[in-house]
Amino acid sequence: MPEGDTIFRAARTLHRALAGHTITRFSSVYPALTRIDDDAPLGGRTITSVEARGKHLLMHIGPPAAPGGGALTLRTHMRMSGSWHIYRPGERWQLPARDARIVIETAGFVAVAFNVQVAEFLDARQIARQDDLRRIGPDLLGVTFDEDEAVRRLQARGREAVAEALLNQRVVSGIGNVYKSEVLFLERVHPLTPSSAGSEAA
């Protein structure tokens, strides 16, 4: 499963390539996404920014030029095998087209989401109410990472093994198996140490 740093780098790359540019074509294999595109076409809209929140990738898209629709955010989650790629128009894709789930084109780039299992469009109200985003723990790569809150949430897990608690995205977001294992090894903390031990265990 991609870890938080992988999603962070993907969001940064997509932001650099796409932010401020107009969508020329949108397609997806997911009916829920194409239905939104049918009702309020993505073509002609501007991608305003792309960001990572833990393991969620959020692509913010401005409103259409014509009245009848507001700004949208495309939320995707990679799960076990999903990934975002960026290509120049006409460049050969590294993965087969049959694995593409979302394709977003601008004049200069083609962004392709391969094997992404979670994808939805959200408006501003829906983003604020989306449960996974609303309850997400402090983001290790976030600009305003709150270390004290992260420790509080970890210790609040009581006797739950610290290895399990660190993978809970509502405790701290962005950690996967690799970083969980490496950090515990470097800090000489046994994976089964109770979470309530917190920093004292290190």
Side-chain angles (χ1 to χ4, degrees), residues 32-33 35-36 39 45 53 56 58-61 69-75 119-135:
L33 300 186
R35 190 177 307 118
I36 297 294
D39 293 341
R45 295 185 185 221
R53 292 190 195 174
H56 303 264
L58 305 177
M59 182 179 295
H60 302 292
I61 301 169
L72 292 172
T73 294
L74 174 62
R75 180 183 78 93
E120 62 178 345
F121 280 120
L122 303 170
D123 60 25
R125 175 182 291 183
Q126 291 168 330
I127 290 174
R129 299 174 64 180
Q130 207 284 331
D131 198 48
D132 291 329
L133 295 176
R134 183 172 58 85
R135 300 179 65 180

Side-chain angles (χ1 to χ4, degrees), residues 161-164 166 183-185 187-195 201-202:
V162 66
E164 293 299 320
L166 287 173
V183 167
L184 293 179
F185 176 78
E187 293 297 324
R188 301 182 184 278
V189 176
H190 193 284
L192 297 182
T193 299
S195 298

Side-chain angles (χ1 to χ4, degrees), residues 20 22 34 38 46 77 86 95 105 107 117 125-126 132 140 144 155 163 187 190-191:
T22 301
T34 57
D38 289 340
T46 299
H77 195 293
I86 193 81
L95 294 175
E105 298 183 19
Q117 299 179 33
R125 175 182 291 183
Q126 291 168 330
D132 291 329
L140 286 170
T144 58
Q155 293 180 333
E187 293 297 324
H190 193 284

Side-chain angles (χ1 to χ4, degrees), residues 83-100:
S83 61
W84 275 95
H85 291 201
I86 193 81
Y87 301 99
R88 290 289 186 178
E91 184 179 358
R92 183 176 181 180
W93 295 358
Q94 296 178 7
L95 294 175
R98 66 175 178 273
D99 291 337

Side-chain angles (χ1 to χ4, degrees), residues 8-53:
F8 179 85
R9 288 196 300 270
R12 183 173 57 186
T13 298
L14 289 168
H15 178 82
R16 289 173 175 171
L18 304 176
H21 296 281
T22 301
I23 298 172
T24 57
R25 178 176 172 269
F26 173 87
S27 64
S28 175
V29 300
Y30 295 127
L33 300 186
T34 57
R35 190 177 307 118
I36 297 294
D37 184 44
D38 289 340
D39 293 341
L42 276 294
R45 295 185 185 221
T46 299
I47 299 170
T48 57
S49 64
V50 184
E51 64 168 318
R53 292 190 195 174

